[in-house]
Amino acid sequence: QSVLTQPPSVSAAPGQKVTISCSGSSSNIGSKYVSWYQHVPGTAPKLLIYDNDKRPSGIPDRFSGSKSGTSATLGITGLQTGDEAVYYCGTWDTGTWDPSLRGWVFGGGTELTVL
Amino acid sequence: QVQLQESGPRLVKPSETLSLTCTVSGGSINGYNWGWIRQSPGKELVWIGKIAYHGHTEYSRSFEGRVTISLDSSNNQFSLSLISATAADTAVYYCVRDLDWKNDYWSQGTLVTVSS
């Protein structure tokens, strides 16, 4: 069971918008920056969003991130078939409540299907 | 563009040591933190540990006592060593650059199988 909770799958039609949620706790999302990664199996995972809502250069503004309290959300607008991938949220857990969790923690991944 | 590539045995016998090396190209290993993450089949991403450019290491408690991460600045590489491997260590292993609360570059990942 992952420390961060994501829905296993989401789907939408081309051109539509989806959001992917990521829920954690005060020792991780509640106190640290969240990042999001796009993973097409067989390729290197790609950083999409960092510091909750910033995009690295080269990432289109169709991708957005936000954080509120102990939850974060990834938004993707103008869906394209090329967006089909597994999306992961990640952050640092301080280990405040469970020292065994100190370190990077990730969600279980959300598989996006563009119908 | 920074690129990371793992190398090492893809098949390890139980009780032996799992060893992987990550070669960094397109940038210097100096000045950054570097880490290892793995994903067992059908499971979530699991952080193993990281090493800073000056050699300080931090490991997940889940692997403490079994793991060593080391740096070879002269060859722009860093390595993972996991002793007493078991079938539970069968996973895709990724090496990453850990920079200011984000893993901004990842390797493609390599499947290491622990089996006799």
Side-chain angles (χ1 to χ4, degrees), chain A residues 52-109:
Chain A
N52 304 330
D53 57 9
K54 295 181 175 58
R55 283 176 287 106
S57 61
I59 300 300
D61 59 7
R62 300 188 299 107
F63 296 91
S64 64
S66 64
K67 186 183 102 167
S68 178
T70 59
S71 294
T73 302
L74 173 70
I76 311 173
T77 60
L79 277 172
Q80 303 173 1
T81 54
D83 296 332
E84 288 197 329
V86 181
Y87 292 82
Y88 295 93
C89 57
T91 187
W92 184 264
D93 194 297
T94 61
T96 302
W97 302 115
D98 183 349
S100 72
L101 289 182
R102 178 177 166 85
W104 275 96
V105 291
F106 298 93

Side-chain angles (χ1 to χ4, degrees), chain A residues 35 37 45 47 56 104 106, chain B residues 1-5 22-37 47 49-53 76 78 94-107:
Chain A
S35 49
Y37 306 89
L47 176 66
W104 275 96
F106 298 93
Chain B
Q1 177 81 342
V2 174
Q3 292 186 308
L4 289 77
Q5 178 67 56
C22 184
T23 300
V24 180
S25 59
S28 175
I29 204 166
N30 295 318
Y32 298 98
N33 299 331
W34 305 91
W36 291 94
I37 292 166
W47 180 71
K50 63 177 177 177
I51 186 165
Y53 64 96
N76 236 34
F78 62 103
Y94 298 95
C95 51
V96 299
R97 190 173 81 172
D98 179 335
L99 176 65
D100 296 337
W101 311 115
K102 60 185 178 291
N103 293 298
D104 62 349
Y105 290 102
W106 296 62
S107 63

Side-chain angles (χ1 to χ4, degrees), chain B residues 11-84:
Chain B
L11 181 63
V12 177
K13 288 183 168 52
S15 80
E16 295 190 346
T17 298
L18 186 157
S19 296
L20 291 171
T21 295
C22 184
T23 300
V24 180
S25 59
S28 175
I29 204 166
N30 295 318
Y32 298 98
N33 299 331
W34 305 91
W36 291 94
I37 292 166
R38 77 179 190 185
Q39 186 171 36
S40 300
K43 300 286 187 67
E44 72 278 13
L45 294 167
V46 173
W47 180 71
I48 300 171
K50 63 177 177 177
I51 186 165
Y53 64 96
H54 46 68
H56 175 74
T57 54
E58 184 164 8
Y59 302 127
S60 164
R61 281 207 177 182
S62 300
F63 297 94
E64 262 188 14
R66 287 208 301 142
V67 64
T68 302
I69 297 176
S70 57
L71 206 59
D72 179 359
S73 301
S74 60
N75 288 309
N76 236 34
Q77 296 176 329
F78 62 103
S79 297
L80 169 72
S81 177
L82 196 61
I83 66 172
S84 305

Side-chain angles (χ1 to χ4, degrees), chain A residues 39-54:
Chain A
H39 187 211
V40 175
T43 69
K46 179 195 294 186
L47 176 66
L48 276 184
I49 298 288
Y50 68 97
D51 291 359
N52 304 330
D53 57 9
K54 295 181 175 58

